[in-house]
């Protein structure tokens, strides 16, 4: 199945960035260990953020030897989306592992890490899918613009959730009553996370189909 | 069989091949019935285009030196083939006519011309 | 059946237009696609390889179009371009793996044999390869699998003379079974002088001529003469280049008798022909 071959190839093309990401993960772990009052979700958020910084790397390197490989167009596009999904899941898994270790070592009472991971992965997948779709639709080849496009959702994701979570924590520590929608979200945590994850996967599939159709129109 | 090509020659490549092969066929260096290398083989060995070798073979064929046999390739025909001899004779006649025309232009006598022919043959 | 059939290819860019390119290349032959830099050679080859989509026109390999079967179409093409077609971080091993995964007919043993013969380093990254090494690598990739045509875009540039000769030999071997063909774009024509069967000459995105090399070299002569020879039969001269002591031009062989008898006539090289034809185009 060429979809998997393309996914592997995209990973190979992004190799140097992925190596760099090992360092990123290490730094993440170190910061988490040495910052005692850090958000419990922080390693997870940070790692998914790392994943989001990585997903569009194959778009920046499209040598013609790769473009010449025999393939059906949809296989190539789906391979790319599979790569993006894989990256997010891989980074989230690393973040989840760190978070679990962190929770286990500390004495903080936190929400179960798995549902939280599912929630963030769902959102990251959605952002990735939209980002890919934009890159396909507008045929963006300029590396600077690709960097810019991947920075915006990544940073919005990381800092947005980080500040939201710390605000919640502060409010709780002050003993203030939280807004109703947050309480509702916490109450329906599992269902909500699963729904978000499914929505993320659905958006990946949908964007992959639209991108395939567009690429097909463009090249055939 | 031997073909040596020169880029400096005034003759085009296909003509060089044709002439060299003819010479070898007539002198018996390439025996009757020999299967010549294929057009593509020859092009590859000489580092020249297929169209060039095709042309050389085609001309050898039309002049009756070789024949192409389906599935076997090009085969050298009988040397004392009368067609071939006639062709040579025709060519000699042509050249002689030219020589005569030139000799008349400079008012050369018949003896002088014959003398020249003898000397040329002795060389 | 024709190996390559190109009909009315057209592609427009802001400053350049490839206009109505058509030709056919029969199986078992080599065509030289000749023109100046920027004449449209690479664009044409990329259109044929379907790395670009043409605005109009069609193109088939062994009778098959990309639209009909994109996978098979690409499998039939071996593409060797200028040096920068690779992901910079890859090593020979990665390339081998990709070829194995994507090309069902990939012959790994032959690939290794070629890369070994050309001394391509196994462990070095492609970005550390010299230009010549990158070209050799592409040749190894193209030759170590089943293809119908090779599209070579300025491929022998950057090769040293020994390897260049070796590559030309491999190319002749490639077409020698009469089933494979080569389209070869270049501006260094000495490469082609002997092995090309057809010459396509493109200038400013337009076809100037497409003929067999034999015919071409027979239908033109190179004329050289003094300035006083210019007046006789001047209208037959193509792309006249003149200076204080004389001129050089091209003339159709049939028209040669109309020229001044003191002119010198020679067999032109393809290079010389093209220089004068470009000159004529520009005039």
């Amino acid at each position: 199945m060429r979809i998997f071959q393309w996914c592997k190839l995209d990973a190979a093309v992004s190799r140097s960035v992925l190596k760099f990401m090992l360092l990123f993960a290490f730094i993440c772990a170190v910061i988490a260990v040495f910052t005692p009052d850090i958000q419990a979700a922080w390693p997870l958020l940070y790692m998914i953020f790392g994943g989001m910084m990585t997903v569009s790397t194959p778009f920046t390197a499209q040598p013609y030897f790769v473009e010449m490989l025999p393939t059906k167009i949809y296989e190539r596009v789906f391979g790319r989306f599979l790569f993006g999904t894989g990256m997010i899941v891989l980074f989230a898994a690393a973040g989840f592992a760190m978070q679990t270790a962190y929770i286990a070592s500390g004495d903080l009472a936190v929400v179960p890490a798995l549902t939280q991971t599912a929630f963030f992965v769902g959102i990251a997948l959605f952002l990735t899918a939209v980002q890919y779709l934009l890159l396909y639709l507008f045929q963006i080849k300029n590396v600077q613009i690709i960097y810019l496009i991947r920075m915006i959702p990544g940073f919005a994701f990381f800092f947005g959730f980080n500040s939201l979570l710390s605000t919640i924590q502060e409010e709780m520590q002050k003993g203030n009553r939280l807004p109703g929608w947050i309480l509702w979200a916490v109450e329906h945590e599992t269902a909500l996370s699963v729904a978000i994850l499914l929505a993320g996967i659905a958006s990946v599939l949908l964007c992959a189909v639209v991108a395939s159709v567009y690429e097909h129109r463009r090249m055939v | 069989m031997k073909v040596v090509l020169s880029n400096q020659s005034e003759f085009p490549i296909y003509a060089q091949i044709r002439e060299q092969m003819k010479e070898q066929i007539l002198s018996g260096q390439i025996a009757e019935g020999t299967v010549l290398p294929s057009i593509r083989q020859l092009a590859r060995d000489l580092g020249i285009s297929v169209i060039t070798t095709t042309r050389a073979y085609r001309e050898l064929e039309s002049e009756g030196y070789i024949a192409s046999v389906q599935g076997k390739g090009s085969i050298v025909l009988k040397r004392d083939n009368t067609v071939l001899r006639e062709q040579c004779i025709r060519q000699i006649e042509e050249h002689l006519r030219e020589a005569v025309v030139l000799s008349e232009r400079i008012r050369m006598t018949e003896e002088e011309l014959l003398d020249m022919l003898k000397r040329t043959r002795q060389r | 059946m024709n190996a390559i059939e190109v009909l009315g290819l057209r592609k427009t860019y802001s400053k350049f237009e490839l206009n109505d390119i058509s030709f056919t290349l029969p199986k078992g032959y080599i065509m030289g696609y000749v023109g100046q830099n920027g004449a449209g050679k690479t664009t044409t080859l990329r259109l044929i390889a379907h790395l670009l989509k043409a605005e109009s026109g069609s193109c088939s390999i062994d009778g098959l179009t990309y639209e009909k079967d994109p996978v098979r179409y690409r499998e039939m093409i071996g593409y060797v371009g200028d040096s920068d077609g690779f992901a910079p971080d890859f090593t020979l091993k990665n390339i081998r793996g990709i070829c194995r995964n994507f090309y069902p007919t990939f012959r790994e043993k032959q690939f290794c044999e070629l890369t070994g013969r050309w001394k391509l380093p196994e462990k070095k990254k492609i970005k550390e390869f010299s230009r010549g090494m990158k070209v050799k690598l592409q040749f190894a990739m193209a030759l170590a699998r089943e293809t119908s045509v090779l599209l070579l875009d300025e491929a022998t540039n950057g090769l040293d003379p020994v390897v260049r000769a070796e590559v030309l030999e491999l190319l002749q071997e490639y077409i020698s079974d009469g089933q494979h063909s080569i389209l070869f774009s270049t501006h260094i024509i000495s490469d082609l002088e002997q092995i090309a069967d057809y010459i396509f000459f493109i200038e400013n995105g337009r076809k100037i001529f497409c003929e067999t090399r034999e015919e071409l070299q027979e239908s033109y002569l190179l004329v050289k003469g003094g300035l006083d020879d210019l007046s006789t039969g001047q209208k037959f001269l193509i792309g006249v280049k003149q200076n204080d002591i004389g001129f050089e031009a091209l003339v159709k062989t049939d028209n040669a008798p109309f020229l001044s008898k003191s002119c010198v006539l020679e067999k032109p090289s393809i290079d010389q022909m093209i220089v004068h034809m470009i000159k004529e185009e520009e005039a």
Side-chain angles (χ1 to χ4, degrees):
Chain A
M1 192 65 174
R2 269 182 292 257
I3 291 178
F4 296 104
Q5 303 298 353
W6 277 117
C7 178
K8 260 167 71 182
L9 185 55
D10 280 342
V13 167
S14 317
R15 199 162 48 166
S16 58
V17 178
L18 289 176
K19 272 186 200 155
F20 174 76
M21 281 296 155
L22 280 179
L23 182 70
F24 182 89
F26 178 72
I27 293 170
C28 173
V30 169
I31 294 176
V33 168
F34 289 102
T35 319
D37 58 345
I38 204 165
Q39 276 292 323
W42 192 85
L44 181 60
L45 276 176
Y46 192 64
M47 284 312 288
I48 293 181
F49 166 71
M52 291 172 75
M53 290 290 101
T54 316
V55 287
S56 62
T57 311
F59 284 93
T60 61
Q62 308 208 42
Y64 67 69
F65 129 76
V66 170
E67 291 187 54
M68 270 308 290
L69 292 171
T71 184
K72 292 196 175 92
I73 284 168
Y74 84 86
E75 294 172 325
R76 166 124 213 225
V77 175
F78 272 72
R80 178 67 50 87
F81 276 83
L82 184 62
F83 165 79
T85 309
M87 281 301 108
I88 297 294
V89 170
L90 190 73
F91 276 82
F96 171 72
M98 282 184 206
Q99 190 178 12
T100 311
Y102 184 71
I103 293 167
S105 67
D107 48 15
L108 282 163
V110 277
V111 282
L114 198 57
T115 48
Q116 216 177 52
T117 308
F119 178 81
F120 289 136
V121 165
I123 290 181
L125 284 182
F126 172 75
L127 292 173
T128 299
V130 172
Q131 185 186 165
Y132 274 19
L133 187 61
L134 289 178
L135 291 172
Y136 272 116
L137 290 186
F138 296 103
Q139 281 301 305
I140 298 162
K141 296 272 155 69
N142 186 314
V143 176
Q144 253 73 37
I145 298 178
I146 294 178
Y147 286 159
L148 193 71
I149 290 180
R150 80 168 160 215
M151 296 296 242
I152 295 167
F155 277 99
F157 173 85
F158 180 64
F159 289 109
F161 278 108
N162 212 18
S163 69
L164 178 67
L165 288 176
S166 33
T167 315
I168 293 171
Q169 199 173 31
E170 274 168 29
E171 294 295 306
M172 276 166 69
Q173 275 163 359
K174 283 184 205 155
N176 290 344
R177 203 179 143 71
L178 293 169
W181 61 273
I182 291 183
L183 291 177
W184 181 87
V186 173
E187 200 177 318
H188 300 88
E189 188 184 32
T190 312
L192 186 66
S193 298
V194 171
I196 293 280
L197 180 64
L198 289 179
I201 293 169
S203 65
V204 168
L205 288 173
L206 183 70
C207 288
V209 170
V210 175
S212 297
V213 170
Y214 181 80
E215 276 291 282
H216 197 269
R217 288 246 176 98
R218 193 173 69 84
M219 285 311 291
V220 179
Chain B
M1 197 190 96
K2 182 175 107 182
V3 179
V4 182
L5 300 177
S6 160
N7 282 330
Q8 265 77 51
S9 164
E10 57 173 316
F11 295 109
I13 303 284
Y14 75 89
Q16 292 182 43
I17 300 173
R18 183 192 62 202
E19 291 309 312
Q20 290 180 30
M21 287 206 161
K22 258 192 216 173
E23 211 179 296
Q24 290 171 71
I25 291 169
L26 289 173
S27 68
Q29 277 166 288
I30 302 179
E32 167 198 340
T34 308
V35 180
L36 294 177
S38 75
I39 286 168
R40 291 186 171 278
Q41 178 69 43
L42 187 66
R44 196 173 125 186
D45 292 345
L46 293 173
I48 58 176
S49 87
V50 177
I51 285 185
T52 307
T53 49
T54 308
R55 179 153 179 198
Y57 273 31
R58 205 178 46 225
E59 295 193 357
L60 283 170
E61 207 179 316
S62 71
E63 290 177 31
Y65 286 87
I66 62 173
S68 68
V69 180
Q70 197 69 46
K72 265 184 120 176
S74 299
I75 294 178
V76 175
L77 292 175
K78 231 174 166 171
R79 220 179 338 132
D80 53 2
N81 191 316
T82 43
V83 183
L84 210 130
R85 195 177 159 74
E86 269 167 32
Q87 247 172 16
C88 286
I89 290 173
R90 220 179 305 131
Q91 274 182 26
I92 294 170
E93 271 175 357
E94 241 170 69
H95 289 303
L96 283 177
R97 207 173 302 126
E98 255 176 68
V100 170
V101 170
L102 283 172
S103 71
E104 277 168 358
R105 202 179 285 167
I106 56 165
R107 296 170 204 282
M108 222 181 193
T109 65
E110 200 178 312
E111 278 96 73
E112 278 176 310
L113 189 61
L114 285 172
D115 205 40
M116 192 184 267
L117 182 66
K118 271 182 205 152
R119 264 186 286 129
T120 313
R121 272 184 60 98
Q122 277 156 12
R123 235 188 279 147
Chain C
M1 196 199 295
N2 286 316
I4 305 181
E5 270 185 41
V6 170
L7 196 69
L9 278 192
R10 192 186 301 273
K11 180 92 186 165
T12 322
Y13 294 104
S14 55
K15 283 185 182 156
F16 171 77
E17 184 189 30
L18 191 77
N19 202 342
D20 199 21
I21 297 295
S22 304
F23 66 86
T24 54
L25 176 60
K27 273 190 179 183
Y29 293 93
I30 300 180
M31 179 184 281
Y33 201 74
V34 182
Q36 287 178 291
N37 286 337
K41 302 188 295 279
T42 299
T43 306
T44 312
L45 262 62
R46 291 187 156 233
L47 286 170
I48 296 172
H50 216 96
L51 288 168
L52 292 172
K53 189 189 171 187
E55 273 144 41
S56 60
S58 68
C59 162
S60 64
I61 308 276
D62 281 3
L64 186 82
T65 61
Y66 179 85
E67 290 75 15
K68 222 170 184 178
D69 187 347
V71 176
R72 180 88 198 91
Y73 187 87
R74 282 280 178 77
E75 280 172 359
M76 289 193 294
I77 299 176
Y79 192 93
V80 180
D82 52 5
S83 57
D84 290 324
F86 292 104
D89 279 332
F90 282 8
T91 60
L92 213 53
K93 199 174 151 223
N94 300 126
I95 301 276
R96 230 175 16 236
I98 293 167
C99 287
R100 207 187 304 125
N101 286 338
F102 278 91
Y103 295 111
T105 59
F106 183 63
R107 296 181 288 263
E108 197 160 344
K109 220 179 119 198
Q110 194 189 352
F111 180 83
C112 292
E113 207 179 282
L114 286 170
T115 54
R117 196 199 312 171
W118 288 330
K119 302 190 178 64
L120 298 181
E122 181 76 24
K123 296 246 163 69
K124 261 192 187 172
K125 287 180 175 173
I126 305 281
K127 65 179 169 202
E128 293 165 49
F129 275 33
S130 70
R131 185 177 162 84
M133 286 157 98
K134 287 180 195 169
V135 173
K136 286 179 203 168
L137 175 55
Q138 292 186 65
F139 268 112
M141 286 166 62
L143 292 170
R145 61 187 176 87
E146 277 310 313
T147 52
S148 297
V149 298
L150 291 185
L151 303 179
L152 312 179
D153 189 12
E154 304 278 358
T156 52
N157 295 6
L159 293 181
D160 63 73
V162 177
V163 177
R164 183 189 298 246
E166 201 178 322
V167 164
L168 290 183
E169 227 168 89
L170 280 173
L171 296 183
Q172 286 207 293
E173 195 181 311
Y174 177 77
I175 62 153
S176 66
D177 66 352
Q179 294 303 308
H180 300 87
S181 312
I182 298 173
L183 181 65
F184 188 134
S185 98
T186 187
H187 59 262
I188 305 173
I189 295 133
S190 58
D191 276 350
L192 291 168
E193 192 91 27
Q194 297 212 324
I195 67 164
D197 296 294
Y198 299 89
I199 303 276
F200 186 108
F201 180 43
I202 180 172
E203 171 72 5
N204 271 330
R206 285 185 309 114
K207 166 175 168 177
I208 305 297
F209 60 72
C210 179
E211 278 180 79
T212 69
R213 205 210 58 227
E214 288 268 329
E215 257 171 69
L216 203 62
Q217 282 185 314
E218 270 176 33
S219 47
Y220 292 96
L221 286 170
L222 190 72
V223 205
K224 290 174 191 168
L227 292 177
D228 47 340
D229 298 323
L230 256 177
S231 51
T232 331
Q234 190 164 17
K235 63 174 173 180
F236 297 114
L237 297 176
I238 301 163
V240 182
K241 284 209 301 189
Q242 70 180 85
N243 55 28
D244 293 344
I245 45 169
F247 78 94
E248 191 186 283
L250 216 56
V251 65
K252 283 231 159 95
T253 310
D254 299 340
N255 294 333
F258 302 112
L259 300 177
S260 159
K261 295 284 172 279
S262 54
C263 287
V264 178
L265 294 170
E266 283 179 356
K267 210 169 59 174
S269 68
I270 305 270
D271 263 323
Q272 287 166 324
M273 287 178 40
I274 282 167
V275 165
H276 288 290
M277 285 186 180
I278 289 175
K279 180 107 185 153
E280 182 75 11
E281 278 291 307
E282 283 167 354

